[in-house]
Amino acid sequence: MFVTDSPSPSSLLGRPCRHQALLALPAQEAHVSAARHFTADLLETWHVPAGERDAAVLIVDELAANAAQYGRERMTLLLVLEHGTLHIVVTDSGTTVERQRRDTAPDEHGRGTGIVQYLAQSTEVHQTRSGREVRACLRCSS
């Protein structure tokens, strides 16, 4: 696991502070709770209000669960708080965006993307050379 948290130098100049943190974990379902707890603790430290923090934790939970399920080796969580917007970026080492399997009941899987789209102001999914990158942006009044 690799973790950083660094406020930008602009906070020293009287400008709005930009925070960012990176967490790298094996792409395994056992590590999803670590991503969720990391997010909750960090956003509390950054003084993100509880309601917005809860929405962000739910977004991270859904994105990390997908990364753990479809990624192969590793997943990373990047959190950037800048100008009242929280950018949540989850990457994994999977090759394609997987669709729901036919042998899975519809009530068991497939709601996570809808939850993320409902909570976030914007979402994007990109296939990169090394895997997938999913971005969600959430307005925060911190």
Side-chain angles (χ1 to χ4, degrees), residues 20-47:
Q20 68 180 28
L22 178 68
L23 176 67
L25 297 165
Q28 299 169 356
E29 289 185 32
H31 295 286
V32 172
S33 66
R36 192 173 54 244
H37 291 293
F38 172 78
T39 301
D41 293 344
L42 186 67
L43 295 184
E44 184 174 5
T45 300
W46 290 351
H47 306 290

Side-chain angles (χ1 to χ4, degrees), residues 30-128:
H31 295 286
V32 172
S33 66
R36 192 173 54 244
H37 291 293
F38 172 78
T39 301
D41 293 344
L42 186 67
L43 295 184
E44 184 174 5
T45 300
W46 290 351
H47 306 290
V48 172
E52 294 159 355
R53 187 171 59 237
D54 292 345
V57 168
L58 186 52
I59 290 170
V60 166
D61 184 61
E62 295 297 340
L63 297 182
N66 285 344
Q69 183 175 5
Y70 300 117
R72 291 197 176 130
E73 299 165 9
R74 61 184 158 63
M75 62 180 168
T76 61
L77 167 63
L78 173 64
L79 300 171
V80 178
L81 179 60
E82 181 175 41
H83 303 295
T85 300
L86 177 65
H87 302 271
I88 302 167
V89 183
V90 176
T91 60
D92 65 53
S93 53
T95 56
T96 60
V97 177
E98 306 251 349
R99 301 289 179 220
Q100 181 176 328
R101 297 186 326 223
R102 291 180 187 199
D103 62 338
T104 304
D107 60 338
E108 289 183 31
H109 295 286
R111 289 189 235 159
T113 303
I115 291 169
V116 171
Q117 289 175 343
Y118 177 78
L119 294 172
Q121 276 65 50
S122 66
T123 59
E124 298 177 8
V125 179
H126 299 283
Q127 191 66 39
T128 66

Side-chain angles (χ1 to χ4, degrees), residues 4-9 17-22 42 46:
T4 63
D5 175 18
S6 57
S8 71
C17 187
R18 177 181 191 260
H19 291 283
Q20 68 180 28
L22 178 68
L42 186 67
W46 290 351

